[in-house]
């Protein structure tokens, strides 16, 4: 297994004491999961190391021979202002700390008494640098409209510009170690997005997925953290939790909006501390996995109702990807139709049929409450029943009828905003004529589809069209 380096940039430790450098490296690795570390015991070599461009953060001792930490701090701030410098001193002197901050230091810590605070300070600096880099990357990508790895998005079939923007955002945040929250209605493809994020990330191992909906607190804890032998009745063997199985990979928690409050507290602590205790163990283990979560729930509404913790929400949405529903991406419908037809034909061993020209029109007027998943099911059902050269539309119509599909209402209560109060109301036949003509336009001239859109039979629509034509001939 290739060890994943965290953070994506190197942290340079500068001190003339080799023993202290080794000790600090171990502390950062064990307590903070920070293993992308370089060490330098000769302060004269620091500027040459920075010139190579691998360093994103410097931890600098003040008292060193040849070139003092104060002199080196001034040089780094002047030549590499984008690299934060955390100053470490063996002396707890307020004046020294103040002077270092004036010179441009990011933070100041005392060597011997502030080990835990030092690790937290380094983690805080890393998060700041990651966010700055991500912001620059996002700006760059949106300005250039480019994708560095378009092949990674091949499973997400779309021609929608909004989805293209989402792809650019995903590429920009993929290297971050912070959690990603994916939201969207059921069936829009949230797990596909999670897998894409995993493939783009620095985490090289597998993605482990858990659907947390309906898990009680005990099952959630055992599933996530694992247990030791004898942790509870029936625990005859130790069990590795999903966090450990996802080490150096991605931990995907689906339906996070249905997680119970006690389990939310445990997840929050895991994200804050970066470590956990298997059930029955007193020894903590570090989490070394990227956390990605998804939900179709309205988390803002659940927060207001006290069903979802606000602090957990803000911890999870360090990066937020919202997938729009299929009804807001009408151009994707014909593309997905062709994709699923070809996919179904290959899987079922059938020849891809000809699509009737009325089918895309019919689908374009359907709101797809089940989104992409519903369209896929429709296509597979039609292909299962398909026997002739032309694909039948009957199974699509049956599926829509089961959903009770009716065209969306366009008139608000009491006709508010539709009619002008100061003007007389139009005759009923004019309103009906306008409705019929609008339905025909949406249906591309197909009377069968137009009749479905306004909830009448095709003979009734034909009769109405004849009346309309006769009135036009009479000049009414």
């Amino acid at each position: 297994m290739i060890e994943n380096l965290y953070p994506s940039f190197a942290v340079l430790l500068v001190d003339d004491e080799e023993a202290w450098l080794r000790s600090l490296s171990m502390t950062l690795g064990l307590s903070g999961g920070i293993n992308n570390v370089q060490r330098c015991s000769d302060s004269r070599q620091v500027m040459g190391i920075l010139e190579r461009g691998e360093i994103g953060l410097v931890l600098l001792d003040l008292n060193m021979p040849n070139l003092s930490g104060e002199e080196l701090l001034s040089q780094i701030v002047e030549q590499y202002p984008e690299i934060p410098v955390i100053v470490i001193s063996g002396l707890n002197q307020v004046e020294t700390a103040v002077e270092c901050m004036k010179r441009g230091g990011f933070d100041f810590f005392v060597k011997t008494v502030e080990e835990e605070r030092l690790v937290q300070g380094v983690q805080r600096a890393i998060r700041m640098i990651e966010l700055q880099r991500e912001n620059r990357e996002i700006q760059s990508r949106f300005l250039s409209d480019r994708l560095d790895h378009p092949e990674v998005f091949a499973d997400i079939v779309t021609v929608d510009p909004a989805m293209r923007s989402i792809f650019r955002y995903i590429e920009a945040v993929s290297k971050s170690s912070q959690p990603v929250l994916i939201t969207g209605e059921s069936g829009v493809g949230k797990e596909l997005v999670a897998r894409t994020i995993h493939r783009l990330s620095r985490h090289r191992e597998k993605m482990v997925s858990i659907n947390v909906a309906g898990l009680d607190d005990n099952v959630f804890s055992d599933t996530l953290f694992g247990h030791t032998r004898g942790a509870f009745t029936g625990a005859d063997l130790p069990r590795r939790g999903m966090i450990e199985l996802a080490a150096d990979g991605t931990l995907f928690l689906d339906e996070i909006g249905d997680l119970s409050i006690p389990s939310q507290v445990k997840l929050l602590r895991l994200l804050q501390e970066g470590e956990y205790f298997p059930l029955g163990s007193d020894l903590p283990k570090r989490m070394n996995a990227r956390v990605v979560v998804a939900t179709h729930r309205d988390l803002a509404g659940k927060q207001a109702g006290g069903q979802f913790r606000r602090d957990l929400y803000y911890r999870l949405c360090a990066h937020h990807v919202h997938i729009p529903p299929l009804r807001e991406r009408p151009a994707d419908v014909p593309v997905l139709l062709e994709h699923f037809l070809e996919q179904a034909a290959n899987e079922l061993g059938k020849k891809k049929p000809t699509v009737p020209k009325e089918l895309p029109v019919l689908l374009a007027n359907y709101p797809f409450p089940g989104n992409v998943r519903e369209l896929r099911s429709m296509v597979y059902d039609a292909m299962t029943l398909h026997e002739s050269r032309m694909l039948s539309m009957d199974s699509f119509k049956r599926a829509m009828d089961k959903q009770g599909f009716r065209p969306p209402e366009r008139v608000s209560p009491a006709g508010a905003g539709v009619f002008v109060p100061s003007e007389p109301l139009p005759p009923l036949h004019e309103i009906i004529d306008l409705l019929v003509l609008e339905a025909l336009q949406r249906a591309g001239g197909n009377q069968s589809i137009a009749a479905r859109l306004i909830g009448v039979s095709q003979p009734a629509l034909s009769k109405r069209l004849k009346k309309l034509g006769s009135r036009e001939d009479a000049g009414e």
Side-chain angles (χ1 to χ4, degrees), residues 340-359:
F340 290 139
L341 280 173
E342 186 170 347
Q343 194 178 72
N346 291 335
E347 290 184 18
L348 297 173
K350 294 184 176 183
K351 186 177 180 180
K352 183 180 174 184
T354 300
V355 177
K357 64 179 186 299
E358 298 88 358
L359 181 56

Side-chain angles (χ1 to χ4, degrees), residues 185-308:
E185 296 178 5
S186 294
V188 293
K190 295 187 290 294
E191 186 166 356
L192 279 178
V193 172
R195 293 191 179 280
T196 301
I197 293 171
H198 169 67
R199 287 195 290 268
L200 283 167
S201 74
R202 62 184 177 82
H203 296 82
R204 301 180 180 90
E205 296 301 315
K206 63 183 179 180
M207 182 174 103
V208 175
S209 302
I210 312 168
N211 188 320
V212 300
L215 296 184
D216 65 32
D217 186 49
N218 292 328
V219 175
F220 174 78
S221 300
D222 188 31
T223 302
L224 211 61
F225 307 137
H227 62 253
T228 61
R229 181 180 178 183
F232 49 83
T233 303
D236 299 325
L237 296 172
R239 176 189 176 191
R240 298 166 67 196
M242 293 300 183
I243 299 174
E244 187 173 351
L245 293 175
D248 295 319
T250 300
L251 179 66
F252 176 53
L253 304 179
D254 201 6
E255 303 298 349
I256 198 70
D258 296 314
L259 195 62
S260 69
I261 292 293
S263 295
Q264 289 178 34
V265 173
K266 293 179 179 178
L267 179 58
L268 175 63
R269 187 178 301 119
L270 171 70
L271 295 174
Q272 288 176 333
E273 305 297 332
E275 61 181 26
Y276 63 97
F277 292 86
L279 301 184
S281 174
D282 295 327
L283 298 175
K285 291 187 175 183
R286 285 212 60 80
M287 178 178 69
N288 188 21
R290 174 79 175 277
V291 175
V292 179
V293 302
T295 182
H296 70 281
R297 301 289 188 186
D298 175 15
L299 293 187
K302 291 181 75 70
Q303 288 178 61
Q307 299 170 303
F308 202 86

Side-chain angles (χ1 to χ4, degrees), residues 264-455:
Q264 289 178 34
V265 173
K266 293 179 179 178
L267 179 58
L268 175 63
R269 187 178 301 119
L270 171 70
L271 295 174
Q272 288 176 333
E273 305 297 332
E275 61 181 26
Y276 63 97
F277 292 86
L279 301 184
S281 174
D282 295 327
L283 298 175
K285 291 187 175 183
R286 285 212 60 80
M287 178 178 69
N288 188 21
R290 174 79 175 277
V291 175
V292 179
V293 302
T295 182
H296 70 281
R297 301 289 188 186
D298 175 15
L299 293 187
K302 291 181 75 70
Q303 288 178 61
Q307 299 170 303
F308 202 86
R309 292 181 63 97
R310 188 178 301 273
D311 47 4
L312 176 59
Y313 171 76
Y314 286 110
R315 177 69 67 169
L316 289 173
C317 70
H319 305 301
H320 183 192
V321 177
H322 179 72
I323 311 300
L326 185 56
R327 63 180 172 276
E328 295 179 8
R329 299 147 43 195
D332 281 350
V333 174
V335 179
L336 286 165
L337 175 63
E338 287 296 318
H339 172 73
F340 290 139
L341 280 173
E342 186 170 347
Q343 194 178 72
N346 291 335
E347 290 184 18
L348 297 173
K350 294 184 176 183
K351 186 177 180 180
K352 183 180 174 184
T354 300
V355 177
K357 64 179 186 299
E358 298 88 358
L359 181 56
V361 179
L362 177 66
L363 296 178
N365 287 281
Y366 181 65
F368 286 102
N371 291 289
V372 178
R373 184 187 297 135
E374 182 181 11
L375 176 57
R376 183 182 186 276
S377 297
M378 285 181 174
V379 172
Y380 270 71
D381 184 50
M383 282 297 298
T384 302
L385 302 173
H386 169 67
E387 293 179 350
S388 61
R389 184 181 64 83
M390 182 75 71
L391 184 67
S392 171
M393 293 174 55
D394 291 342
S395 63
F396 291 93
K397 293 178 180 178
R398 284 195 299 270
M400 293 178 183
D401 290 339
K402 286 180 182 178
Q403 290 289 345
F405 170 55
R406 292 292 181 270
E409 295 186 11
R410 304 181 63 196
V411 180
S412 53
V418 178
F419 303 109
V420 180
S422 61
E423 296 181 2
L425 291 172
L428 180 61
H429 71 84
E430 287 187 11
I431 296 177
I432 296 175
D433 290 346
L434 289 173
L435 179 64
V436 168
L437 293 173
E438 175 68 15
L440 277 172
Q441 182 176 349
R442 293 191 182 193
N446 185 287
Q447 292 188 22
S448 175
I449 297 175
R452 290 179 61 86
L453 290 177
I454 58 177

Side-chain angles (χ1 to χ4, degrees), residues 78-147:
E78 180 182 352
Q79 297 184 39
Y80 300 96
E82 75 281 4
I83 300 178
V85 180
I86 295 178
V87 177
I88 306 173
S89 174
L91 300 176
N92 189 0
Q93 295 178 338
V94 175
E95 296 82 1
T96 304
V98 171
E99 182 61 29
C100 288
M101 301 305 283
K102 284 182 178 180
R103 288 174 179 263
F106 177 80
D107 215 334
F108 181 94
F109 294 97
V110 179
K111 272 187 179 181
T112 55
V113 297
E114 298 185 314
E115 184 176 283
E116 183 177 347
R117 287 190 61 237
L118 172 59
V119 174
Q120 293 173 352
V122 174
Q123 291 173 326
R124 185 166 56 250
I126 289 172
R127 285 194 292 270
M128 183 200 73
I129 297 166
E130 287 179 335
L131 288 174
Q132 288 176 341
R133 292 187 172 195
E134 286 159 15
N135 286 336
R136 289 195 297 268
E137 182 70 12
I138 290 171
Q139 292 174 2
S140 171
R141 288 182 186 277
F142 275 83
L143 288 173
S144 65
D145 190 29
R146 78 174 195 274
L147 286 176

